[in-house]
Amino acid sequence: MSGGGGHNHDAHHEDFQLKDTNPLLGEQWPKGAAGPARPAVGGGIAGWLGMEKPSSTYDLVEQMFFLYVRVVKAKDLPPNPITGSPMDPYVEVKLGNYKGTTKHYDRRANPEWDQMFAFSKSRVQSNVLEVYLKDKEMLGRDDYVGKVVFDLAEVPTRVPPDSPLAPQWYRLEERRGEGGKVRGELMLAVWIGTQADEAFPEAWHSDAATVRGEGVASVRSKAYVSPKLWYIRVNVIEAQDVQPQSRGRAPEVFVKAQVGNQILKTSVVAAATLNPRWNEDLVFVVAEPFEEQLVLTVEDRVTPRKDDLLGRVALPLTLFEKRLDHRPFVQSRWFDLEKFGIGGAIEGETRRELRFASRVHVRACLEGAYHVMDESTMYISDTRPTARQLWKPSVGVLEVGILGAAGLQPMKNRDGRGTTDAYCVAKYGQKWVRTRTMLGTFSPTWNEQYSWEVFDPCTVITIGVFDNRHLGNGNGNGNNGGGGPPARDARIGKIRIRLSTLETDRVYTHAYPLIVLQPSGVKKMGELRLAVRFTCLSLMNMVHLYTQPLLPRMHYLHPFTVTQLDALRYQAMGIVAARLGRAEPPLRREVVEYMLDVESHMWSMRRSKANFFRAVSLFSGAAAAARWLTDVCHWKNVATTALVHILLLILVWYPELILPTVFLYMFMIGLWNYRRRPRHPPHMDTKMSWAEAVHPDELDEEFDTFPTSKQQDVVYMRYDRLRSVAGRIQTVVGDMATQGERLQSLLSWRDPRATCVFVIFCFITAVVLYVTPFRVVALVAGLYLLRYPRFRSRLPAVPSNFFRRLPSRADSML
């Protein structure tokens, strides 16, 4: 590589690094005086800045000022002058070029709206706020009945925890601007506040003035809570009086249990009698409120492709008790089966015959002592059990200020140009938060702050950035043709921060690169600016947590298998995505799945290489120590070898110093490395992930659907490549097994001569070690290991030669 190319590569890699930022967090407002709200005409914009600011808890974001207008209701409105009937009223709030409207009512003299409007100070182009009362569709145009005007210089300031500003009644001014009053009054509240105001999330924002219809809800900031998940354990014990539909054969019976779309089956039992027995556990994931039922069906395996239904029972989940420990014994219960026999055919349908002869014996309970995993165990954000009674007190508070993003890439086309409507989602524990959507900007500024209780510091918060494709009126994805597949919010990127890597009570302000892997390769989609602080409430409790199991006790007393955990985690992810998708505005499935890493278990050649080299790097320290010892043994540095000889003599003479020396050495290494400790949280590493050197075909395979959608020859090629990789892995595993079997053959007499030699050697060694002081043996062994190179041979050592000649079971492999 030429010098210029290397420089470009370094600059490219530098672009993927974390960057320090210096935002103005919690900046104080200039001091001034605040007056009461009253309507006026004229004035200046000095009221925006001439207000005194009480202290705010929003100290991890840059303060943003908004003019809030709350339109509550109207009364005593005049009738329509033409028809004489009550008007169709609505309110228009106008500030400069921005205007927002309330919903309208048909023929109502005393309407109630209670809607909130927020105008950003940074985009204000007027010093007058105008509130119009209008009549919908009066003579083909909106007829404005009256208005209220506010001078921004006279608008008061309010910052929580101040009490909300009480709305007041304002008389409507005449439409011709003559200063007279007309019949009717509006109840309004107008004040200046920041994003800390409780009205901020629900308000209509001037930044999203072009959004209409259902898209208005999708641009607002919201907080969500994951549904409360439970494991339900169903122990299918036995069935009684099972009658097969076809006589003259022993039924092959199994029980199928279904909860929602989760289906599990017991093993098939060839019932010699009519009372088959299984005693098998089936575990499902369910969520409160319990909407599904547990449906048990007893079926007969007639042929590999045909099962006869012998009986069925549907049980509500509220029927089962909640267990908070492994010790309470759950009582089993018998349930009658609704049995379906084949009678005569009536109008082409099978007649249902209801009998209560068969029963099924079940022991079922809701397990509250487990933590239901809905995310990858590598990036877990919560370890608490389901039952709130088992929760331990929190040990800290995590606060995150989502400041903004910079350099975002165009995600879609609108009006013939590239644009991005970005919003941010953060997930930690059961709490999800979503910022408002910033329309048409590549450098969105959110400045929203959120906090979470921390119950375990060894957890991870995940923050993702997405492009909103659900803005309504064709503004979402730039594809206004309609009739296509439903729009999906596009991924811009995500980051993870492990809390245990943060120092307590320190504010981290960094710009995190938003790196995504695309079929064309790795790409930086922009930078996300955050301010993060982890506050410790009790240092002793936090240190104590490091001595406790990561998961609740039940995971160790009655553990699930790895296969069970993977299946249950996938089901839990589906339930969480479905429930959050039913919120308003919905947190859509594609967003939830991306945040929960649903596809993390899929095969990837790139990820396999990265994990292999991660494993190799673990042994780099041991390899370096082995090379250092080899250099010492070969006297590459005479002074070092002499010092090692002296250390050997000291440790042999005073063996009680060995362990203290080892721990003191590790203590000194820890102190030495303190100077070079990481100063910032970890972030996505493209080099470690093998994202920069990945082959295009490997990327194409990673983004392939499951099952595959590629052509047959491509699938054949990838299958052969996978066989080649698996063959190398197979060889490594076989070599490891061979070494272990050679070790076993030392005393197995598979090679009688080798075992005889080893047994005699062990006897002689035992006698020599018994009569020789340990210090002498250790000294001789150490001096032999450190002997001068002149006394060394380049041939392998005798023990190595002996070990390599031992037999293994590889000779018996086909």
Side-chain angles (χ1 to χ4, degrees):
M1 178 180 292
S2 65
H7 176 76
N8 291 337
H9 176 77
D10 292 341
H12 179 67
H13 186 71
E14 181 70 22
D15 197 39
F16 292 148
Q17 299 300 311
L18 201 67
K19 299 178 182 177
D20 288 317
T21 59
N22 295 298
L24 301 175
L25 302 182
E27 184 182 12
Q28 298 292 313
W29 292 356
K31 295 184 178 181
R38 59 181 183 270
V41 179
I45 199 170
W48 285 100
L49 300 177
M51 304 299 170
E52 185 175 0
K53 171 193 171 295
S55 62
S56 172
T57 57
Y58 270 50
D59 59 344
L60 292 184
V61 292
E62 298 173 343
Q63 290 175 344
M64 301 175 66
F65 299 94
F66 295 89
L67 173 67
Y68 289 100
V69 181
R70 180 186 174 192
V71 180
V72 183
K73 56 185 176 181
K75 68 178 181 179
D76 301 331
L77 298 183
N80 188 301
I82 298 178
T83 64
S85 61
M87 66 169 60
D88 300 338
Y90 72 96
V91 172
E92 179 181 284
V93 182
K94 184 178 180 182
L95 182 63
N97 294 330
Y98 295 99
K99 61 180 179 180
T101 58
T102 67
K103 56 187 176 183
H104 86 279
Y105 291 102
D106 293 332
R107 299 186 176 182
R108 189 172 300 184
N110 300 298
E112 294 187 10
W113 297 280
D114 200 13
Q115 288 184 235
M116 191 73 63
F117 299 85
F119 297 87
S120 174
K121 165 189 175 294
S122 60
R123 300 189 180 186
V124 167
Q125 300 172 351
S126 173
N127 56 8
V128 174
L129 171 70
E130 299 171 295
V131 181
Y132 294 93
L133 178 70
K134 294 191 174 185
D135 188 2
K136 185 72 173 178
E137 300 296 336
M138 175 61 180
L139 297 178
R141 60 183 180 86
D142 292 348
D143 187 29
Y144 115 65
V145 178
K147 67 178 180 179
V148 180
V149 180
F150 293 86
D151 182 357
L152 298 188
E154 304 298 330
V155 175
T157 299
R158 176 195 173 255
V159 177
D162 292 352
S163 299
L165 196 67
Q168 301 179 31
W169 286 106
Y170 296 95
R171 291 291 301 273
L172 295 174
E173 295 181 3
E174 207 169 34
R175 58 173 298 189
R176 293 180 177 81
E178 294 154 353
K181 300 296 181 182
V182 298
R183 178 181 168 188
E185 294 181 87
L186 270 178
M187 179 178 279
L188 303 171
V190 182
W191 71 95
I192 295 172
T194 67
Q195 68 269 40
D197 202 295
E198 59 268 15
F200 178 81
E202 298 295 334
W204 171 95
H205 283 268
S206 59
D207 296 338
T210 59
V211 180
R212 295 289 186 270
E214 297 180 356
V216 174
S218 70
V219 301
R220 292 173 175 166
S221 56
K222 284 289 182 181
Y224 305 82
V225 178
S226 294
K228 188 175 183 180
L229 301 178
W230 293 78
Y231 288 137
I232 178 171
R233 187 190 300 270
V234 182
N235 178 230
V236 181
I237 303 174
E238 59 183 332
Q240 190 178 70
D241 298 332
V242 176
Q243 298 288 340
Q245 294 184 3
S246 56
R247 308 294 181 182
R249 56 176 290 273
E252 298 181 3
V253 187
F254 66 94
V255 174
K256 181 173 73 174
Q258 181 173 356
V259 178
N261 61 352
Q262 305 173 65
I263 299 177
L264 295 176
K265 300 177 181 179
T266 65
S267 57
V268 179
V269 175
T273 66
L274 299 181
N275 302 319
R277 186 175 182 85
W278 296 276
N279 197 25
E280 296 182 17
D281 278 350
L282 307 177
V283 184
F284 302 89
V285 180
V286 294
E288 290 185 356
F290 301 128
E291 300 174 349
E292 299 90 358
Q293 289 184 320
L294 171 64
V295 180
L296 299 175
T297 57
V298 180
E299 302 185 19
D300 180 16
R301 178 66 52 83
V302 180
T303 66
R305 295 188 177 183
K306 181 183 178 183
D307 299 325
D308 283 345
L309 178 62
L310 304 182
R312 176 183 180 276
V313 61
L315 305 171
L317 299 181
T318 53
L319 189 66
F320 308 117
E321 65 177 283
K322 298 177 179 178
R323 188 168 69 161
L324 305 184
D325 203 346
H326 67 286
R327 286 167 291 193
F329 182 77
V330 180
Q331 293 294 332
S332 60
R333 301 173 63 178
W334 287 94
F335 296 99
D336 293 327
L337 294 176
E338 181 182 349
K339 186 170 181 179
F340 301 99
I342 299 180
I346 300 178
E347 296 181 354
E349 296 184 0
T350 304
R351 181 170 60 87
R352 177 183 298 181
E353 180 186 351
L354 182 61
R355 299 198 300 263
F356 290 100
S358 302
R359 299 190 302 171
V360 63
H361 194 194
V362 173
R363 179 183 293 114
C365 67
L366 294 161
E367 299 280 10
Y370 287 94
H371 168 70
V372 181
M373 296 187 185
D374 61 350
E375 54 197 344
S376 173
T377 54
M378 296 294 101
Y379 321 122
I380 195 168
S381 65
D382 190 13
T383 60
R384 292 172 292 173
T386 299
R388 183 178 291 271
Q389 300 93 311
L390 303 179
W391 290 4
K392 297 179 180 178
S394 61
V395 297
V397 176
L398 172 66
E399 298 167 281
V400 177
I402 303 176
L403 305 178
L408 298 184
Q409 300 296 314
M411 301 300 296
K412 59 196 172 193
N413 287 321
R414 185 162 62 222
D415 300 330
R417 62 182 182 87
T419 186
T420 299
D421 306 318
Y423 67 92
C424 196
V425 175
K427 195 265 182 188
Y428 181 76
Q430 297 179 350
K431 179 180 175 182
W432 301 65
V433 297
R434 168 181 176 158
T435 68
R436 69 191 191 281
T437 300
M438 302 298 293
L439 301 183
T441 175
F442 301 129
S443 300
T445 302
W446 293 293
N447 280 315
E448 299 181 25
Q449 182 171 337
Y450 301 95
S451 62
W452 290 264
E453 282 188 295
V454 177
F455 293 86
D456 195 316
C458 302
T459 46
V460 176
I461 181 173
T462 304
I463 305 174
V465 182
F466 302 87
D467 177 58
N468 197 333
R469 303 288 178 92
H470 299 84
L471 302 180
N473 291 349
N475 291 330
N477 54 11
N479 183 8
N480 303 333
R488 293 168 58 90
D489 288 352
R491 309 168 178 176
I492 297 179
K494 69 179 175 184
I495 65 168
R496 304 187 192 96
I497 302 176
R498 185 170 293 275
L499 271 60
S500 59
T501 63
L502 304 177
E503 299 177 12
T504 56
D505 302 312
R506 174 186 167 187
V507 178
Y508 291 83
T509 55
H510 294 95
Y512 295 79
L514 294 171
I515 304 171
V516 294
L517 198 63
Q518 298 177 342
S520 58
V522 65
K523 185 176 182 181
K524 180 179 177 181
M525 305 296 291
E527 294 178 344
L528 178 63
R529 296 187 298 114
L530 299 176
V532 182
R533 178 172 59 207
F534 176 36
T535 304
C536 175
L537 300 179
S538 173
L539 182 60
M540 292 301 297
N541 289 342
M542 185 176 297
V543 173
H544 175 69
L545 276 177
Y546 280 83
T547 66
Q548 301 301 305
L550 182 64
L551 296 173
R553 298 171 64 246
M554 283 290 283
H555 286 271
Y556 307 97
L557 299 177
H558 295 278
F560 296 117
T561 64
V562 175
T563 305
Q564 269 184 312
L565 277 178
D566 286 342
L568 292 172
R569 182 172 70 93
Y570 186 79
Q571 295 297 337
M573 288 178 175
I575 293 175
V576 171
R579 291 291 180 91
L580 293 180
R582 289 159 50 181
E584 184 59 39
L587 200 58
R588 303 189 181 276
R589 174 175 289 272
E590 61 269 19
V591 174
V592 176
E593 290 181 349
Y594 182 56
M595 297 289 289
L596 295 180
D597 287 291
V598 171
E599 301 173 354
S600 61
H601 66 287
M602 300 298 292
W603 161 257
S604 165
M605 179 69 76
R606 173 195 60 83
R607 196 179 293 118
S608 300
K609 288 181 180 178
N611 288 333
F612 172 76
F613 284 102
R614 284 175 59 200
V616 169
S617 66
L618 292 177
F619 300 100
S620 60
R627 289 194 298 269
W628 176 83
L629 183 60
T630 302
D631 292 343
V632 169
C633 294
H634 287 81
W635 293 67
K636 292 294 181 65
N637 189 313
V638 178
T640 302
T641 305
L643 290 175
V644 171
H645 277 80
I646 296 173
L647 180 63
L648 173 66
L649 293 175
I650 295 174
L651 295 180
V652 167
W653 194 256
Y654 301 102
E656 63 274 10
L657 296 180
I658 294 178
L659 289 180
T661 301
V662 171
F663 285 101
L664 181 62
Y665 178 68
M666 290 190 290
F667 171 75
M668 296 302 296
I669 291 178
L671 290 183
W672 179 261
N673 289 338
Y674 181 77
R675 300 182 302 107
R676 296 177 293 178
R677 68 189 185 278
R679 303 287 180 168
H680 53 75
H683 63 286
M684 302 294 183
D685 191 330
T686 56
K687 186 176 182 180
M688 186 192 73
S689 304
W690 273 70
E692 299 178 3
V694 63
H695 192 274
D697 185 68
E698 295 176 1
L699 272 181
D700 186 61
E701 179 184 19
E702 185 170 343
F703 284 92
D704 192 10
T705 58
F706 187 86
T708 182
S709 57
K710 298 298 180 180
Q711 297 180 355
Q712 193 173 28
D713 54 344
V714 176
V715 176
Y716 285 162
M717 183 270 292
R718 291 175 179 172
Y719 176 65
D720 290 339
R721 182 175 62 196
L722 185 61
R723 291 176 63 191
S724 175
V725 174
R728 290 195 288 269
I729 297 175
Q730 172 184 287
T731 302
V732 173
V733 174
D735 290 343
M736 295 172 61
T738 296
Q739 305 307 322
E741 290 167 354
R742 284 175 176 171
L743 195 62
Q744 288 180 337
S745 67
L746 283 172
L747 298 173
S748 67
W749 294 92
R750 184 179 295 274
D751 183 341
R753 285 166 295 278
T755 303
C756 181
V757 171
F758 182 71
V759 168
I760 294 174
F761 169 77
C762 291
F763 176 76
I764 296 174
T765 303
V767 173
V768 171
L769 292 177
Y770 179 75
V771 301
T772 307
F774 174 76
R775 293 178 178 177
V776 175
V777 174
L779 182 61
V780 171
L783 292 176
Y784 176 78
L785 182 65
L786 299 174
R787 66 192 183 279
Y788 196 69
R790 179 176 296 183
F791 303 107
R792 294 179 181 275
S793 173
R794 294 187 178 182
L795 299 178
V798 173
S800 175
N801 296 333
F802 184 80
F803 186 77
R804 289 175 181 272
R805 291 176 177 273
L806 294 174
S808 69
R809 301 182 66 183
D811 308 333
S812 303
M813 292 282 292
L814 289 176

